[in-house]
Amino acid sequence: MFGKLLKHEFRATGRIAAPLCGMMLALAVLAGMVLRFWGDLPSEGFSTAGNAIIILYGMSVFAVAIGIFIILMQRYKQNLFSDEGYLTRTLPVSVHELLLSKLFVAVIWYLVTCVLMALSVIIAGGLSGEASWSGVKELFDTLRFYVAHISAADVVYVMLSTLGGMLFITLLFYAVATIAQNFNKHRLLYYFMVILIFIALTRLLAVFNLIFTVRFAGPASGSVGVIGGADGPTAIYVTGSHVWLGLIELYLGNALLYVLTWAFLKFRPNLE
Amino acid sequence: MSSILECKALQKRYGLKDALCGINLSLEPGRIIGLLGPNGSGKTTLIKLACGLLTPTGGEILIDGQKPSKETKAIVSYLPERMALPTWMTAKQAMDYYQDFYSDFRRDTAEDMLARLGLDERQTIRSMSKGMREKLQLILVMSRAAKLYLLDEPIGGVDPATRDYILKTIIGNYNEDAAVVISTHLIADVEQVLDEVVFLRQGNVVLHRSVDDIREAEGKSVDELFRQVFAY
């Protein structure tokens, strides 16, 4: 059943998300072509249209980044709490299957979107000509430089924190929407109240982390460094055991949000 | 015979208002049961509790001996009082959806009924008329060989011709070993198809009898008895 849920989840989200991504890639091609022939554009009208295409491409990247998130959150709410919920929540599947399928599809879409956004930049840059290609090559050289200076543990940390962050933002919305659903009146008000409570909790956690790091972990547990020099790229990095504490907290927070959402869906379905 | 739906002191409260006041009820398979009562009597609440869309405040509800769960959802075919199918789907995609999730879905039956309606399977639900959407939803629900059909107001808000179509579809397609529960306040229209009736008033079961028994003992139609019981 989990596979079938995934199939229908991809179908429902893909029908909006796929054209949005396709539009961004198409605009990347057009923007690349405009940049390539910028000096040879025959009239001012063409220049204006070219400008518009480049601006539209920039906006489409932004629209995809925001749009995917909105599509996924809207899907969650509509699929479980609107009229569609009468169908979804009478399917012979467990709440875990329902929730995990949505979470899995959300993470896949975030990753696909990131890859496609990077691809669109490469396409636009590639088509715009030799000068831009060298810019893209420079970008990869820079990335290689960074990669050469970081350890395997750092790569794992970055990957886990990226994944954890994606899960956190998604689960936060799921939990807020699910808890707020239990209030039959002034739902929007409770919606914002639940968000504020969660934000306050995360802030409190941040304060705790700061105190913990300063008081107990101390400077010996981690270090701050600089990559590169006068001729190369420069970055500041923070490593050490205390950064892993934040990661553990992030995943504990995710687990808590998941359990909350699951419990409310399971024990307080409330489709009145 | 064991009950397909059983309520034991079932209670549901919304805030301070009791929607169901500790009802006891037992329905057996192989019967078509009318769940009858005026608006706000608790019909929809009872059906939602049976589907696991609400949780009881007290008591319990059992479907084939089990509390509402993943397992009971596999044997219950539910028609909500509103359009639950995503409107962006085509009729074909809606059938795919049912086929994927319900092992008892009879695709041939559904396709046959859609063809008789003259409905193009590639048509999106959004582009269908209200009556056509309701027929599609009913066809999907009745194309399952379920053990319990829960039909919430299937004939509310439709024209008399559609009403006849809906009742014919119910009678012609339900699994005969199953129980069919039809919730409505339009008694005269459904009376002809019912085996037994349950009258609900303000969250209480005020009557549960067979239709034949009502006709023989009371010398009245169900509609007449309903008007008498619910007279203001």
Side-chain angles (χ1 to χ4, degrees):
Chain A
M1 284 295 181
F2 186 68
K4 287 168 184 168
L5 282 171
L6 287 181
K7 173 183 142 185
H8 288 281
E9 201 62 26
F10 274 120
R11 180 185 267 180
T13 49
R15 75 193 175 87
I16 307 173
L20 199 62
C21 293
M23 184 191 69
M24 178 185 68
L25 292 177
L27 282 168
V29 171
L30 284 174
M33 300 297 278
V34 166
L35 286 169
R36 172 178 280 246
F37 298 110
W38 190 254
D40 306 324
L41 292 177
S43 68
E44 202 175 305
F46 277 95
S47 297
T48 311
N51 267 325
I53 287 170
I54 293 167
I55 292 169
L56 273 175
Y57 165 62
M59 284 169 66
S60 74
V61 175
F62 184 73
V64 165
I66 302 290
I68 292 292
F69 182 73
I70 293 172
I71 289 166
L72 292 166
M73 299 309 121
Q74 176 70 10
R75 164 76 183 162
Y76 180 81
K77 226 168 159 276
Q78 195 168 342
N79 195 233
L80 294 179
F81 304 124
S82 73
D83 290 353
E84 260 184 64
Y86 287 85
L87 180 65
T88 312
R89 293 171 74 181
T90 48
L91 292 175
V93 295
S94 68
V95 176
H96 281 307
E97 285 176 306
L98 213 51
L99 201 48
L100 286 173
S101 68
K102 291 188 184 303
L103 211 49
F104 185 83
V105 170
V107 169
I108 294 293
W109 269 117
Y110 293 148
L111 295 174
V112 167
T113 307
C114 290
V115 169
L116 289 181
M117 286 193 328
L119 185 66
S120 82
V121 171
I122 292 171
I123 288 173
L127 288 173
S128 64
E130 193 55 40
S132 300
W133 261 124
S134 65
V136 173
K137 278 177 196 157
E138 234 172 70
L139 181 71
F140 278 111
D141 287 343
T142 309
L143 282 174
R144 267 200 299 276
F145 183 86
Y146 277 108
V147 170
H149 280 78
I150 57 174
S151 66
D154 291 334
V155 173
V156 171
Y157 173 78
V158 169
M159 286 172 76
L160 285 177
S161 55
T162 306
L163 179 67
M166 286 174 179
L167 289 171
F168 181 78
I169 191 79
T170 310
L171 281 165
L172 180 63
F173 179 87
Y174 285 2
V176 167
T178 310
I179 294 169
Q181 179 66 19
N182 275 273
F183 300 100
N184 294 327
K185 287 179 184 169
H186 315 300
R187 196 167 280 161
L188 198 64
L189 176 69
Y190 286 112
Y191 196 86
F192 284 109
M193 277 175 63
V194 177
I195 286 181
L196 285 176
I197 289 168
F198 277 115
I199 289 174
L201 284 174
T202 52
R203 294 296 87 200
L204 274 174
L205 204 61
V207 171
F208 165 78
N209 281 351
L210 194 65
I211 293 168
F212 180 86
T213 307
V214 172
R215 188 79 191 268
F216 301 104
S221 67
S223 62
V224 175
V226 176
I227 296 174
D231 302 326
T234 305
I236 296 173
Y237 66 92
V238 181
T239 60
S241 58
H242 61 274
V243 296
W244 292 94
L245 172 72
L247 197 61
I248 292 166
E249 282 173 356
L250 179 64
Y251 276 87
L252 283 176
N254 284 343
L256 175 71
L257 288 172
Y258 179 87
V259 170
L260 263 177
T261 310
W262 170 82
F264 270 84
L265 281 175
K266 171 114 179 137
F267 301 110
R268 297 185 63 90
N270 200 38
L271 216 59
E272 286 174 20
Chain B
M1 194 179 283
S2 64
S3 301
I4 186 69
L5 190 151
E6 192 173 11
C7 304
K8 294 177 182 171
L10 182 66
Q11 187 190 20
K12 178 65 187 176
R13 186 179 294 152
Y14 298 120
L16 296 173
K17 188 180 180 301
D18 277 327
L20 290 175
C21 314
I23 64 166
N24 291 295
L25 184 67
S26 179
L27 303 179
E28 288 177 1
R31 314 278 287 166
I32 301 181
I33 303 119
L35 190 59
L36 313 176
N39 292 330
S41 55
K43 305 186 295 288
T44 296
T45 298
L46 176 57
I47 287 181
K48 283 183 180 177
L49 285 163
C51 290
L53 294 171
L54 294 173
T55 42
T57 309
E60 64 175 0
I61 184 163
L62 302 172
I63 310 295
D64 206 18
Q66 299 178 77
K67 286 186 179 178
S69 63
K70 179 180 166 181
E71 287 71 30
T72 64
K73 286 173 184 177
I75 58 167
V76 172
S77 193
Y78 168 52
L79 179 77
E81 60 183 330
R82 54 190 82 197
M83 185 66 203
L85 294 167
T87 53
W88 55 265
M89 276 188 181
T90 62
K92 184 181 176 299
Q93 285 173 330
M95 282 194 287
D96 291 342
Y97 193 88
Y98 265 71
Q99 192 168 19
D100 275 346
F101 290 109
Y102 298 109
S103 57
D104 59 5
F105 183 67
R106 299 168 296 187
R107 177 113 191 184
D108 293 348
T109 308
E111 282 177 345
D112 185 46
M113 281 196 272
L114 286 182
R116 272 190 276 140
L117 266 182
L119 189 74
D120 182 0
E121 288 184 10
R122 292 164 301 177
Q123 195 180 345
T124 59
I125 295 168
R126 187 180 290 126
S127 67
M128 294 175 193
S129 65
K130 183 175 177 282
M132 197 57 95
R133 288 179 192 188
E134 293 191 0
K135 284 174 192 163
L136 171 66
Q137 192 164 244
L138 178 78
I139 284 171
L140 293 171
V141 167
M142 295 312 298
S143 294
R144 286 185 56 199
K147 280 188 169 181
L148 175 63
Y149 297 86
L150 296 171
L151 314 177
D152 196 1
E153 300 282 3
I155 55 168
V158 293
D159 61 78
T162 306
R163 236 173 250 183
D164 286 346
Y165 175 85
I166 289 170
L167 291 174
K168 270 185 207 158
T169 306
I170 294 169
I171 298 304
N173 293 283
Y174 81 100
N175 173 13
E176 290 190 4
D177 299 324
V180 182
V181 176
I182 303 175
S183 136
T184 186
H185 56 270
L186 302 167
I187 322 294
D189 292 293
V190 293
E191 182 167 352
Q192 48 180 323
V193 304
L194 300 179
D195 294 317
E196 58 188 79
V197 291
V198 176
F199 283 4
L200 276 178
R201 179 166 56 196
Q202 294 175 341
N204 292 291
V205 174
V206 290
L207 181 137
H208 180 196
R209 282 167 82 176
S210 82
V211 172
D212 289 342
D213 186 33
I214 290 171
R215 285 187 189 133
E216 282 167 24
E218 307 282 340
K220 288 176 182 153
S221 67
V222 175
D223 190 37
E224 285 167 336
L225 183 65
F226 183 86
R227 286 168 197 274
Q228 182 190 315
V229 170
F230 292 98
Y232 290 105

